[in-house]
Amino acid sequence: MFRTLVTRAARPFAPLGDRILVQRAVKETQTASGIYLPSSAADKDSNEGTVIAVGPGILDANGTLHAPKVAAGDAVLLPEYGGTKVKMGEDEMFLFREDDILGKFD
């Protein structure tokens, strides 16, 4: 129903439960005014990302399905650490539980 399928890899991939597949945003190496940032600042992972795929949701004790509050294409705020790294071809993505995602940008 709310499941999103990723077909970028050789095999299709769909997250299960309340898991969300996110691709972290690439860290900027140059500011808007043209100043280049040192490599030490650019090495740290970005805490923003784009939702690539979403699982169907999680069941509560009564058996009611609670769909995730994010959808594919949403921009989200991620924790500094966490998530499970997933390699899909050349792309590096991360699987997070819905509770781990800090917020959604409008």
Side-chain angles (χ1 to χ4, degrees), residues 38-78:
S39 61
S40 60
D43 288 345
K44 192 173 173 184
D45 284 339
S46 174
N47 64 341
E48 295 180 21
T50 304
V51 175
I52 303 297
V54 178
I58 193 165
L59 294 173
D60 64 9
N62 299 326
T64 305
L65 180 69
H66 294 277
K69 294 172 181 65
V70 296
D74 286 349
V76 292
L77 180 64
L78 303 169

Side-chain angles (χ1 to χ4, degrees), residues 5-89:
L5 191 66
V6 176
T7 56
R8 292 181 184 187
R11 298 180 297 185
F13 179 80
L16 299 176
D18 67 337
R19 290 184 176 77
I20 298 168
L21 186 67
V22 176
Q23 186 169 25
R24 286 191 184 263
V26 178
K27 192 84 169 195
E28 296 288 330
T29 58
Q30 185 178 11
T31 65
S33 60
I35 298 172
Y36 286 96
L37 300 173
S39 61
S40 60
D43 288 345
K44 192 173 173 184
D45 284 339
S46 174
N47 64 341
E48 295 180 21
T50 304
V51 175
I52 303 297
V54 178
I58 193 165
L59 294 173
D60 64 9
N62 299 326
T64 305
L65 180 69
H66 294 277
K69 294 172 181 65
V70 296
D74 286 349
V76 292
L77 180 64
L78 303 169
E80 186 174 350
Y81 301 104
T84 303
K85 189 184 296 188
V86 179
K87 281 286 260 186
M88 294 191 168

